[in-house]
């Protein structure tokens, strides 16, 4: 597992209290390791995105976090309690403090919206007046006050997910787990749900763990990201850092649609023996990418360096850039000069081949 640059000290200081800690968690189904030594920490008030392909272990991980699966070995500690060691009678009340939102909403069709939201409180034994008051409060939070007496079949997909979020928050959970909660929604509705979750995170200081296969979801609202592959956490760090400097091959693959990529025709034209140019990629984070990069490389461009592809985006308010350049092979020493110019900017330069 590769570590990435740490978040600024001020942000770090606000998120030091652990809500979740997993230590060397293993879970097998027959000969197949679903979780293979997972260690992970989630701090209070942060949003952690856990991303991976289908079959990577995401579903098993979330089921272990909410106590529906018990690990074969290793520890899962939530708010100081080792939940994998608890008997079922002690696990039940703790499980109620872990909110869940699902891809397919899981609402009861025969109950009204407010009854769906109040259901966890009814199970907990809270009186009717108190639980309905809490349900109305949560519906106001998610912008559905006027739908309290409606039934799920009268709602759009986005509205159903808002009801699911209100229900998950009804029992004032310490942790909210989101299991592919936006996968069944269209892009516009997805953006509105993610904005709502971020708003709830800010207003309530709620700790959220997002399980997803979509990098766009992670980029939109997560503070940190952990990449899971074949039951292992292969990479984790702050979102801007992982997006700018991915190390694991699976991370690079998952990010392929989110970062500038080498045009296919150039990749197909790589020819180490006959290529006239050295093809390089440059990955950068910070204001240098917006201000000094091209002025520092002005001489290199005057000597025949060409910009082939690239761009700058902002992730967590950080400028993140990736560029592909062609450096004349005949200009001996020019590549070393470019490397020297970029050394102070903590840029990552990679030689991709010759074209």
């Amino acid at each position: 597992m590769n570590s990435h640059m740490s978040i600024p000290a001020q942000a770090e200081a606000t998120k030091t209290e652990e809500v979740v800690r997993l230590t060397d968690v293993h879970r097998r189904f027959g000969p197949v390791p679903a979780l293979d030594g997972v260690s992970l920490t989630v701090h209070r008030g942060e949003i952690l995105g856990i991303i991976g392909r289908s079959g990577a272990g995401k579903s098993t991980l979330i089921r272990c976090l909410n106590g529906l699966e018990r690990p074969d070995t290793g520890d899962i500690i939530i708010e100081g309690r080792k939940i994998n060691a608890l008997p079922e009678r002690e696990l039940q009340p703790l499980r109620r403090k872990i909110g869940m939102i699902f891809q397919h909403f899981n609402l009861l069709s025969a109950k009204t919206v407010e009854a769906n939201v109040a259901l966890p409180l009814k199970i907990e034994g809270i009186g009717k007046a108190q639980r309905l008051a809490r349900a109305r409060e949560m519906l106001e939070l998610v912008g559905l006050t006027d739908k309290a007496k409606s039934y799920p079949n009268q709602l759009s997909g986005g509205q159903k997910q808002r009801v699911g979020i209100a229900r998950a928050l009804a029992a004032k959970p310490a942790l909210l787990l989101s299991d592919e909660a936006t996968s069944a929604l269209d892009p516009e509705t997805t953006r509105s749900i993610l904005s709502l979750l971020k708003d709830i995170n800010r207003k309530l200081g709620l700790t959220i763990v997002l399980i997803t296969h979509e990098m766009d979801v992670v980029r939109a609202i997560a503070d940190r990201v952990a990449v899971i592959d074949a039951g292992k956490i292969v990479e984790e760090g702050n979102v801007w850092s992982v997006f700018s400097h991915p190390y694991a091959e699976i991370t690079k693959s998952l990010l392929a649609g989110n970062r500038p990529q080498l045009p296919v025709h150039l990749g197909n034209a790589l020819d180490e023996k006959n290529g006239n140019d050295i093809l390089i990629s440059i990955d950068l984070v910070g204001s240098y990418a917006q201000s000094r990069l091209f002025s520092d490389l002005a001489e290199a461009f005057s000597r025949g360096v060409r910009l082939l592809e690239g761009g700058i985006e902002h992730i967590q308010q950080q400028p993140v850039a990736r560029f592909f350049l062609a450096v004349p092979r005949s200009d001996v020493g020019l590549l070393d000069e470019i490397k020297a110019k970029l050394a102070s900017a903590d840029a990552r330069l990679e030689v991709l081949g010759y074209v």
Side-chain angles (χ1 to χ4, degrees), residues 22-29 34-35 59-76 81-95:
L22 285 76
T23 305
D24 198 25
V25 171
H26 290 77
R27 182 72 171 105
R28 300 181 73 89
F29 297 100
L35 298 177
S59 295
T60 303
L61 179 55
I62 203 167
R63 287 175 65 83
C64 285
L65 283 173
N66 64 20
L68 294 177
E69 292 277 357
R70 292 182 185 258
D72 299 321
T73 59
D75 291 325
I76 301 174
R81 301 195 72 185
K82 189 184 296 186
I83 69 168
N84 52 293
L86 294 177
E88 185 64 25
R89 67 180 183 278
E90 293 183 41
L91 184 59
Q92 284 289 354
L94 187 142
R95 196 180 279 147

Side-chain angles (χ1 to χ4, degrees), residues 20-21 25 27-28 44 84 113 124 206 223 241 270 298 312:
V20 178
R21 175 177 284 275
V25 171
R27 182 72 171 105
R28 300 181 73 89
R44 189 170 303 283
N84 52 293
V113 163
E124 200 171 337
L206 184 63
D223 301 306
S241 179
L270 292 178
I312 301 173

